[in-house]
Amino acid sequence: MTTSKAALAAALLLGAAAPALAHAQGYQTPRAPQTIPPPAQPQAPAATAAPGQPERQYNLNRAERTAFQPLVTAVRASDWAAAQAALPAAAAAARGNDAKYLVGQIRLQIGIGTSNQQFQSQGIDEMIASGGAQPSEMRALYENQAQFAAAAGDTAKAERALAQLDALNPNDPARFIRQARLRATANDAPGAIALYRQAMQAQTAAGQPIPVEWRQQIAAVAYRARLPQTAGLMREWLAVAPSPAMWHDSLAIYAELGNADGPMNLDVYRLVRAAGAMNSERDYMVLSEAANDVRAFGEVKAVLEEGLGRNLITVNAGIARERVALATRRAAEDRASLPAERTAALAGRDGAVALRLAEAYYGYGEYGPAAELYRAALQKGGQDANVVNTRLGAALALAGQRAEAEAAFRAVTGPRAELAQFWLVWLQSRGR
């Protein structure tokens, strides 16, 4: 006997919807990259067929129809307790594929109505096993099955579901993403990253752009596992989706993972400021203290005044104002002697003197003379060439000398090489 879905119940599901992978928000400083989200609850599709599409017809025998009627009545009324009580009789009476499919659909509906994930998972399993699901539904069903299995720690079941998904569309690059998420859930970060790379290669080979979300998720996997490639993956993400917030978080994470000290903080937060990404009291206090350590009094004054002017320095506002007053006095004394000291430093042999004066000029925003003195410090020797090249590149970048800045950053090796690469990304973003 044939009966329409609408006649059974308006609330019955047409099929399991593909889960919407929600993304967690509300990062702290520094914020972690977006992590792989947990399985999402399947959503109930509309109860009737799409416009222009005929309603699906189900073949149910008399016994099946009789057993389903109390269940249908309860579902229509959203009486989930009554629906759960009536479900076992309907399941026992179900003999045909369509009836078994409807048992799974209704169990899933009850699970959604009662926020019972076990019911949702079981309903999806029943719909798949029934043989009554439509081909167009199978992808969403297997996706849900894989996510529920992964959430329950049943990796083998999740992998079987993913294998079925792969078989449905073997050329889909997203199949690697599904596998990568499963590996990430199982805390296999290297395996997950390798699969993300495969997905990206397949996407590129297909002539399609790589979704920003993939770069976001691969960076999250690396960060969560504290892998060495985290900074590089953050840069890949940053290169395609730059924003002040993203700059701030990427560099804060880089500083955190690299255990940045005072000298490194100076270079990290100079880039944060250049990128327009200073967004907290801590940012301004850290940069001002690092600048003060190299006697860049003009920078101390400018940074603290900016933070106070933006009302971002509040807890330490009194201290900041005292430091602004002190930096103002020191700058007045320091700046008057700079021209003569610069001439002597360029003519002399002491790289430390040239470096100190370069920091002073940088702090006053005079990037051309600063670059000249950084170069002099390199030539005279005795200084850490990677530190000097980092700061030379920054001065040249802010002076608008992009090619020269890129050359300086590419000369940086060792622990600062990662930071130099961030500066190169910033230069590239300005060229857009």
Side-chain angles (χ1 to χ4, degrees), residues 1-374:
M1 182 177 295
T2 300
T3 182
S4 72
K5 180 173 184 296
L8 282 169
L12 291 182
L13 304 179
L14 281 169
L21 295 175
H23 298 301
Q25 302 296 329
Y27 299 128
Q28 300 300 314
T29 303
R31 301 185 298 185
Q34 193 164 353
T35 56
I36 304 301
Q41 176 175 286
Q43 298 179 4
T48 58
Q53 297 294 321
E55 289 183 348
R56 179 175 173 183
Q57 302 294 310
Y58 293 94
N59 291 317
L60 303 179
N61 62 34
R62 185 179 302 275
E64 289 169 341
R65 291 183 65 206
T66 300
F68 269 88
Q69 192 57 53
L71 179 59
V72 168
T73 300
V75 170
R76 280 178 175 162
S78 297
D79 185 345
W80 304 121
Q84 289 185 63
L87 185 59
R95 294 290 181 268
N97 290 353
D98 283 3
K100 293 176 181 178
Y101 171 83
L102 288 172
V103 167
Q105 245 186 5
I106 295 172
R107 192 186 303 275
L108 175 59
Q109 175 99 7
I110 295 170
I112 293 172
T114 59
S115 299
N116 185 327
Q117 289 204 354
Q118 183 178 352
F119 254 52
Q120 294 170 36
S121 178
Q122 184 180 347
I124 288 166
D125 291 346
E126 289 171 336
M127 291 166 72
I128 291 172
S130 71
Q134 298 295 300
S136 60
E137 298 174 291
M138 297 310 298
R139 175 170 180 166
L141 288 171
Y142 283 127
E143 284 178 345
N144 276 283
Q145 186 180 60
Q147 290 194 65
F148 278 119
D154 192 342
T155 303
K157 180 180 177 181
E159 289 178 341
R160 289 194 298 271
L162 291 181
Q164 292 294 333
L165 275 172
D166 295 347
L168 291 174
N169 192 353
N171 296 320
D172 181 9
R175 68 190 180 95
F176 296 113
I177 298 299
R178 292 189 289 268
Q179 295 168 7
R181 289 172 178 163
L182 180 61
R183 292 290 93 216
T185 302
N187 295 318
D188 178 8
I193 289 172
L195 286 161
Y196 272 109
R197 289 298 191 197
Q198 283 184 271
M200 292 176 181
Q201 291 167 4
Q203 191 82 347
T204 301
Q208 299 297 317
I210 296 171
V212 173
E213 291 77 11
W214 293 5
R215 297 193 185 281
Q216 190 174 23
Q217 290 169 7
I218 191 174
V221 171
Y223 174 76
R224 188 169 59 186
R226 298 298 195 268
L227 297 181
Q229 59 263 53
T230 299
L233 292 169
M234 294 290 290
R235 283 196 302 274
E236 290 182 20
W237 178 15
L238 187 59
V240 297
S243 69
M246 182 59 193
W247 271 108
H248 179 276
D249 296 342
S250 295
L251 290 167
I253 287 168
Y254 164 75
E256 175 201 343
L257 295 179
N259 298 312
D261 55 11
M264 182 70 86
N265 271 333
L266 178 64
D267 299 307
V268 169
Y269 281 92
R270 277 178 171 175
L271 177 52
V272 173
R273 188 170 181 231
M278 301 280 279
N279 66 13
S280 71
E281 178 165 348
R282 179 181 182 277
D283 296 340
Y284 285 101
M285 298 306 290
V286 168
L287 177 53
S288 66
E289 288 170 6
N292 189 67
D293 288 344
V294 296
R295 301 176 62 82
F297 302 127
E299 189 170 13
V300 174
K301 179 176 183 292
V303 166
L304 290 175
E305 286 179 338
E306 180 183 308
L308 289 165
R310 293 180 63 196
N311 294 318
L312 288 178
I313 300 178
T314 55
V315 175
N316 293 294
I319 294 173
R321 291 190 184 94
E322 291 176 2
R323 291 181 181 178
V324 167
L326 180 58
T328 301
R329 291 196 301 273
R330 287 179 172 175
E333 299 165 358
D334 176 62
R335 197 158 193 177
S337 64
L338 281 183
E341 290 185 73
R342 173 187 173 193
T343 299
L346 292 173
R349 298 181 179 181
D350 193 337
V353 172
L355 178 58
R356 179 181 64 78
L357 291 173
E359 303 293 12
Y361 274 104
Y362 187 108
Y364 295 124
E366 296 184 33
Y367 302 116
E372 178 186 37
L373 285 157
Y374 283 128

